Amino acid sequence: IVDETFLNEITGGDTDFLQEMFSAFEEELPTYRRSLYDTLAAHDRENFNRVAHKFCSSLNALAMIDTAKKMRQMEKDATLSI
């Protein structure tokens, strides 16, 4: 879920810029998803955390605050079985 108010604040309501941001995210999403699944399958906690951290930055940039919080929790959860 996107926080539209926050997103409008950070983009100044520039719809062209917003479209560019979402297009870049759509291009990056399959790579993030594949990397997260690959690190889980390989039981590679260090690289999972690295990818999750980068993904959080992209999520925050698009005001997907709740999703970013959940990803950050997974990144910090030492008990998460990988």
Side-chain angles (χ1 to χ4, degrees):
I1 298 176
V2 176
D3 183 336
E4 292 181 34
T5 302
F6 179 69
L7 194 56
N8 282 325
E9 287 177 19
I10 63 174
T11 63
D14 185 338
T15 56
D16 290 333
F17 179 58
L18 183 58
Q19 183 58 42
E20 287 178 33
M21 290 174 60
F22 272 105
S23 291
F25 180 77
E26 286 178 336
E27 288 178 20
E28 295 173 348
L29 184 58
T31 300
Y32 281 128
R33 187 174 61 210
R34 185 173 38 257
S35 294
L36 288 168
Y37 284 123
D38 288 349
T39 58
L40 286 171
H43 304 283
D44 185 348
R45 172 53 108 173
E46 183 178 335
N47 280 317
F48 176 86
N49 288 349
R50 183 182 53 78
V51 173
H53 186 78
K54 286 182 181 181
F55 191 38
C56 281
S57 296
S58 293
L59 293 167
N60 281 320
L62 290 171
M64 296 180 186
I65 307 302
D66 289 339
T67 306
K69 284 180 185 178
K70 290 176 184 173
M71 183 60 63
R72 210 169 11 262
Q73 288 170 343
M74 291 175 67
E75 177 187 355
K76 294 180 179 183
D77 186 356
T79 65
L80 182 66
S81 178
I82 294 184

